[in-house]
Amino acid sequence: MKNQAMKHKEDEVSSWQDQMKNFVNTVDRVKEYVNLTPEEEEVLRNNKTVWGATPHYASLMDRDDPACPIRRQIIPSRQEQENRFGMDDYLMWKENRATEEVRPDSIARQYKNRVAFTVTQTCGIYCRHCFRKELVVDGSLTLDFNVDEGLQWIAEHPEVRDVLITGGDPFLLSDEQLEYLIRKLRELPHVEMIRIGTRTPIVLPQRITPSLMKVLGGFHKVPIWINTQCNHPRELTEETARAVYNLLSCGVNVGNQAVLLKGINDDVETFRELHEKLLATRIRPYYVFYCEAAPGIDHFRTPVEKGSQLIRDALRGHTTGLAQPMHVVATNIGKIPLMPDYYIQGKNDKEYTLRNHKGETTTIPNVPE
Ligand SMILES: *Cc1c(COP(=O)(O)O)cnc(C)c1O
Ligand code: SF4
């Protein structure tokens, strides 16, 4: 439910710069949107991490329900101080930052032909489940994201054909900074495509302005693909639908990378509704990530099998095929797919027995090589 009382206020701060100026990141500000529980308030008063969200996203919180799926992504929990299963120095491991190859801090590499290029650590929401939280939320890791250094490294690596611009949130850079970055990448003959990971279509749809569309848009030989992050159907508003349409209309594809979050989107109904509503908003589901082993986010993590069970029980065969993302766990050696594996029930010299989403079986011939 949209928090209607806030709608008026939100309309008053409708440019993206105003949204950022009015960021909801103090106890007093957040109390305009929700009635904090005594525990939430105490955690917030002692909090030393970066937290908060835009007025647009904050207005989607339920005023009275501390388990609200939006609220849990914004407001720090006491459970963040517990850490049984998270890995120390997670990001150093995950992004291969301690390997022999010399790379600027801005370049994370797991694959030969594509890299992740971090250009900022500012966001439009500081997600409590962020896998880069040591850098973005906790501030326990300091890195230097000099864009020119990163561009120089990419220029010297002709094997890199796909550059994934990430952060933080790259769309919190100015139009001028983005124009520079994209132009410089497009000048490199080996860069065939540019990807941008940004939560702004969800948390700051006002960011998709006509002048940003001019920076991104047009029929260019080096296309831009965007992946956003939407974790719950309630995040998909009119404003987001309009922002996505505007991106598509200038030639930019929009996909989604959700994070599987315990108690937020890990039940069959929510999981299906999320993926159906993404398509209704013209966003193509790309990945669902297993919630990574960053420290202090145990309370968001499900058993490893959960994502593939949800794909089996909520999506595959149950709804439009386009609604199905790949469930992956992101590791230091790349993303590993964890998908349902019940399809092949049996195999002999003559035939394969295949199972569908309803448990029915059929056979197809086994063709020898
Ligand atoms: C996720 C990621 C990529 C892109 O992976 P795809 O499966 O191609 O989407 C590339 N490099 C790094 C370091 C990544 O974490
Ligand atoms: S927007 Fe992305 S980088 Fe920023 S806190 Fe959320 S998950 Fe982390």
Side-chain angles (χ1 to χ4, degrees):
M1 291 311 105
K2 185 117 186 162
N3 199 329
Q4 285 301 335
M6 292 317 302
K7 188 65 189 152
H8 176 67
K9 174 131 198 161
E10 192 195 309
D11 289 344
E12 286 169 19
V13 289
S14 58
S15 82
W16 75 272
Q17 291 93 345
D18 282 347
Q19 286 275 329
M20 292 309 289
K21 267 187 223 129
N22 289 282
F23 211 64
V24 182
N25 61 354
T26 64
V27 172
D28 287 344
R29 277 289 280 141
V30 85
K31 280 181 164 177
E32 293 173 28
Y33 296 84
V34 295
N35 297 319
L36 291 175
T37 65
E39 178 172 316
E40 280 176 325
E41 181 155 350
E42 195 207 313
V43 171
L44 276 179
R45 294 215 182 267
N46 296 315
N47 168 64
K48 301 216 163 42
T49 66
V50 182
W51 73 283
T54 58
H56 170 84
Y57 194 72
S59 74
L60 302 176
M61 287 189 288
D62 187 286
R63 184 169 285 282
D64 290 305
D65 179 11
C68 161
I70 310 298
R71 186 153 158 176
R72 287 194 56 214
Q73 293 182 64
I74 299 176
I75 299 185
S77 154
R78 189 191 295 285
Q79 290 167 291
E80 289 177 25
Q81 288 145 31
E82 295 159 21
N83 184 40
R84 286 180 62 204
F85 303 103
M87 293 164 60
D88 292 335
D89 294 322
Y90 178 73
L91 209 54
M92 296 296 287
W93 172 80
K94 160 72 194 301
E95 297 193 335
N96 288 317
R97 293 186 174 279
T99 54
E100 275 174 15
E101 186 182 60
V102 180
R103 291 186 300 265
D105 286 355
S106 59
I107 302 288
R109 187 175 209 184
Q110 291 168 345
Y111 303 102
K112 187 162 167 40
N113 63 359
R114 58 206 192 281
V115 292
F117 182 15
T118 306
V119 296
T120 176
Q121 59 192 69
T122 308
C123 299
I125 171 184
Y126 292 93
C127 309
R128 300 326 298 173
H129 56 270
C130 178
F131 78 87
R132 309 185 106 188
K133 69 193 288 279
E134 295 152 282
L135 175 76
V136 174
V137 173
D138 303 341
S140 58
L141 179 65
T142 312
L143 298 170
D144 171 20
F145 301 127
N146 181 303
V147 166
D148 287 307
E149 243 177 49
L151 287 168
Q152 182 62 35
W153 185 92
I154 295 167
E156 290 161 5
H157 289 79
E159 72 278 15
V160 174
R161 44 167 288 285
D162 167 9
V163 176
L164 166 49
I165 303 174
T166 184
D169 197 317
F171 276 6
L172 291 188
L173 298 183
S174 68
D175 290 351
E176 292 69 31
Q177 289 170 308
L178 286 167
E179 190 277 333
Y180 174 79
L181 186 58
I182 291 167
R183 177 162 47 83
K184 287 289 174 188
L185 285 173
R186 281 177 164 168
E187 279 169 10
L188 302 175
H190 55 276
V191 173
E192 293 171 18
M193 57 184 279
I194 296 169
R195 289 195 277 177
I196 301 172
T198 171
R199 260 203 110 169
T200 58
I202 304 297
V203 302
L204 183 60
Q206 297 82 355
R207 179 66 187 95
I208 314 305
T209 58
S211 80
L212 179 65
M213 287 163 68
K214 229 175 254 154
V215 170
L216 304 173
F219 184 81
H220 196 283
K221 153 165 118 359
V222 178
I224 295 175
W225 295 73
I226 283 180
N227 273 314
T228 192
Q229 183 195 141
C230 174
N231 301 320
H232 191 278
R234 201 186 294 176
E235 297 171 38
L236 294 163
T237 61
E238 285 280 321
E239 291 88 342
T240 289
R242 176 60 60 180
V244 171
Y245 178 80
N246 286 338
L247 286 167
L248 294 171
S249 69
C250 68
V252 176
N253 277 282
V254 184
N256 190 53
Q257 303 192 142
V259 183
L260 186 62
L261 298 168
K262 188 157 125 190
I264 291 183
N265 58 14
D266 67 338
D267 63 284
V268 166
E269 288 71 34
T270 307
F271 198 74
R272 185 186 303 132
E273 192 192 341
L274 168 64
H275 289 94
E276 290 177 344
K277 207 165 163 199
L278 282 166
L279 287 184
T281 313
R282 302 180 172 79
I283 302 175
R284 173 73 155 96
Y286 175 50
Y287 281 142
V288 165
F289 286 104
Y290 178 64
C291 186
E292 295 181 39
I297 58 174
D298 291 351
H299 54 299
F300 285 117
R301 234 173 278 129
T302 63
V304 173
E305 287 82 6
K306 190 77 186 186
S308 57
Q309 287 165 0
L310 284 165
I311 286 171
R312 181 193 67 196
D313 298 339
L315 301 184
R316 182 76 266 168
H318 301 281
T319 190
T320 312
L322 282 166
Q324 189 188 286
M326 182 169 287
H327 175 236
V328 296
V329 54
T331 75
N332 63 324
I333 55 168
K335 296 176 180 70
I336 314 285
L338 298 171
M339 293 292 279
D341 63 356
Y342 61 83
Y343 308 109
I344 298 180
Q345 294 275 299
K347 167 187 173 179
N348 59 33
D349 289 349
K350 267 178 53 198
E351 59 191 19
Y352 282 82
T353 303
L354 305 181
R355 181 190 188 278
N356 75 0
H357 65 289
K358 291 193 226 162
E360 299 162 343
T361 56
T362 188
T363 56
I364 58 166
N366 182 356
V367 181
E369 255 188 83

